[in-house]
Amino acid sequence: DIVLTDVGQALLPQIKLIVAQFQQLNRQMTNTRELHEGDLTIGIPPNLGATFVAPIIGLFHKLYPHINISVEEHGSDKIGQLILNGSLQVGYVALPITDMPKNVYIFNDEPLQVLLPNTHRLAKKTVIDLSELKKEPLALFSADSSLFHTIMNSFQQIDTRPHVICKSANRELITEMVRAETAISLLPKRICDQLPRQFFHVATLTPTISWRIA
């Protein structure tokens, strides 16, 4: 049998403390390595990716190059459901959504604007009331997007059923329909700011309809 000397007995409590601290440090290092490696699945609405998420994914990859990122495109409501059942770790959604995950962070709140071709009869106006659009042909984001339902609810509040001729998840299709003088649209300010003014007129919408991203 091995028996500690008197000096060993006196140092034993400190030795146990050092060993415990070393074990704790080793666990922390292991956890840190686990946080920097693995797979991450992100849910993104089709109309959102290029505008918001691409720069964020690029920055995240620089910070954590050993995490493999997968992107799935779904409507905002479905993304909320997939987060709740564990199929997605992170999701970007346009509020409101039906099933709200516990941890939600709003990072963008901007108004919708009226996008018209330069030749439209309302193109001289800087502010357009929603009631002025009730008979206009509209091209909007898809019916499975929360933004579509927000717009429809706003029309409902003024007892109007809008004339929607096209619903699409493709932003380029919507803007090209406006450019071709086939329709007008209600789009977030961020998107309108990126469009060339030689083809489009952008007006402020009243009452304000907000595009909230979380």
Side-chain angles (χ1 to χ4, degrees):
D1 293 340
I2 298 175
V3 179
L4 291 175
T5 63
D6 292 342
V7 175
Q9 289 287 354
L11 293 176
L12 184 60
Q14 298 180 41
I15 293 171
K16 288 182 177 180
L17 179 61
I18 292 172
V19 171
Q21 290 175 337
F22 177 81
Q23 290 173 340
Q24 181 180 4
L25 177 62
N26 188 54
R27 285 194 297 270
Q28 290 176 343
M29 292 176 64
T30 301
N31 290 339
T32 300
R33 285 196 298 269
E34 290 175 353
L35 286 174
H36 285 74
E37 297 178 355
D39 300 311
L40 181 66
T41 306
I42 304 173
I44 301 173
N47 57 13
L48 188 65
T51 306
F52 281 105
V53 183
I56 296 174
I57 290 178
L59 177 60
F60 185 87
H61 179 68
K62 288 182 180 179
L63 294 173
Y64 306 101
H66 301 296
I67 293 182
N68 300 314
I69 300 174
S70 300
V71 175
E72 296 184 6
E73 289 191 327
H74 304 286
S76 292
D77 275 336
K78 186 172 182 180
I79 288 174
Q81 296 169 5
L82 292 174
I83 289 176
L84 289 173
N85 69 25
S87 299
L88 296 177
Q89 288 79 54
V90 180
Y92 291 84
V93 298
L95 298 178
I97 61 174
T98 303
D99 298 310
M100 187 73 75
K102 184 177 180 180
N103 298 315
V104 177
Y105 307 93
I106 297 173
F107 66 91
N108 183 77
D109 191 340
E110 66 183 75
L112 297 186
Q113 294 183 320
V114 185
L115 183 69
L116 315 98
N118 275 334
T119 55
H120 196 278
R121 62 181 181 84
L122 297 174
K124 295 181 180 180
K125 304 189 68 171
T126 57
V127 179
I128 296 176
D129 192 273
L130 188 65
S131 61
E132 298 180 78
L133 306 179
K134 58 185 179 182
K135 294 183 179 181
E136 297 291 336
L138 294 176
L140 302 176
F141 280 128
S142 300
D144 64 348
S145 71
S146 58
L147 185 55
F148 175 83
H149 297 291
T150 299
I151 293 172
M152 297 301 288
N153 288 338
S154 296
F155 275 105
Q156 188 175 13
Q157 291 174 11
I158 60 172
D159 297 321
T160 296
R161 184 180 180 86
H163 180 39
V164 181
I165 65 169
C166 177
K167 292 172 284 187
S168 174
N170 189 314
R171 182 182 73 178
E172 285 72 23
L173 174 61
I174 292 174
T175 56
E176 281 304 311
M177 289 190 68
V178 175
R179 181 175 176 175
E181 304 179 13
T182 305
I184 67 174
S185 189
L186 302 177
L187 294 173
K189 180 180 183 300
R190 182 183 299 257
I191 294 177
C192 291
D193 287 345
Q194 299 172 358
L195 299 174
R197 289 301 186 265
Q198 65 263 38
F199 303 115
F200 300 99
H201 176 74
V202 177
T204 299
L205 177 66
T206 182
T208 301
I209 301 177
S210 293
W211 190 47
R212 304 174 71 210
I213 305 301

